[in-house]
């Protein structure tokens, strides 16, 4: 169960971050910052941030799905997952949590003051992704636990 449940939890921050990117793309095409004369979408820094955010989400999603497929194959054998296989699961879901928070934070920051209002979807996405990523299954602590296993050590937790 500890190697299946994390995938269910990790889907939430991943979906929130994807929705935040979609919301930002809409905002960037209509918002001109108060301190500028060009739309957000026309600023090179925003263009780079959007490209990076898209790439990070895509990479995290692919890692998530590949590991989920691998875990399903491992489970079909009926043999308990090895520590290394469980580490792979923890890395995939922790990466989703970490990337999702970073992407939403970057989008929120780039949106400027508009993002603080309840009328802007980024306000809720920012709050929700941080709440979802607080779950133990997707927390950054999993990087440490998996790293310990990759280094040949005990994971250091009974919930691994």
């Amino acid at each position: 169960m500890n190697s299946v449940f994390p995938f269910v939890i990790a889907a939430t921050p991943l979906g929130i971050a994807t929705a935040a990117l979609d919301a930002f793309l809409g905002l960037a095409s209509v918002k001109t910052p108060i301190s500028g004369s060009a739309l957000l979408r026309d600023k090179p820094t925003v263009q780079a941030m959007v490209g990076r955010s898209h790439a990070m989400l895509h990479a995290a999603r692919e890692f998530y799905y590949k590991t989920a497929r691998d875990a399903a194959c491992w489970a079909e054998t009926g043999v308990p997952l090895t520590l290394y296989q469980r580490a792979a699961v923890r890395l995939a879901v922790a990466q989703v949590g970490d990337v999702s928070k970073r992407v939403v934070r970057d989008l929120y920051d780039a949106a400027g003051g508009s993002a603080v209002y309840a009328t802007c979807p980024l306000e809720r996405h920012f709050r929700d992704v941080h709440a979802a990523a607080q779950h133990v299954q997707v927390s950054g602590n999993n990087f440490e636990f998996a790293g310990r296993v990759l280094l040949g050590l005990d994971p250091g937790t009974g919930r691994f």
Side-chain angles (χ1 to χ4, degrees):
M1 188 63 165
N2 279 339
S3 295
V4 174
F5 188 55
F7 291 110
V8 176
I9 299 300
T12 301
L14 188 57
I16 293 167
T18 301
L21 181 56
D22 290 343
F24 183 83
L25 295 176
L27 178 68
S29 67
V30 297
K31 179 181 177 171
T32 301
I34 200 162
S35 62
S37 59
L39 291 170
L40 278 176
R41 72 175 183 198
D42 296 328
K43 296 178 70 170
T45 55
V46 170
Q47 295 162 0
M49 183 271 305
V50 166
R52 186 177 303 108
S53 295
H54 178 80
M56 288 172 33
L57 276 176
H58 183 74
R61 184 180 297 111
E62 289 303 311
F63 187 22
Y64 168 89
Y65 280 116
K66 180 199 180 308
T67 308
R69 286 189 302 271
D70 290 348
C73 290
W74 299 330
E76 286 177 3
T77 68
V79 177
L81 272 61
T82 66
L83 278 178
Y84 180 79
Q85 290 167 327
R86 288 184 280 172
V89 169
R90 295 303 175 151
L91 285 173
V93 298
Q95 183 70 359
V96 162
D98 196 53
V99 165
S100 296
K101 285 191 303 185
R102 178 175 175 190
V103 164
V104 174
R105 184 194 66 230
D106 289 350
L107 297 168
Y108 182 90
D109 289 348
S114 299
V116 303
Y117 297 102
T119 55
C120 180
L122 289 170
E123 183 274 332
R124 183 165 185 169
H125 296 319
F126 183 82
R127 181 173 28 98
D128 288 352
V129 80
H130 284 86
Q134 287 296 101
H135 197 285
V136 68
Q137 296 291 350
V138 294
S139 90
N141 292 337
N142 287 302
F143 288 118
E144 177 188 343
F145 304 145
R148 289 178 57 85
V149 169
L150 294 172
L151 289 166
L153 303 170
D154 181 84
T157 179
R159 292 188 323 262
F160 197 74

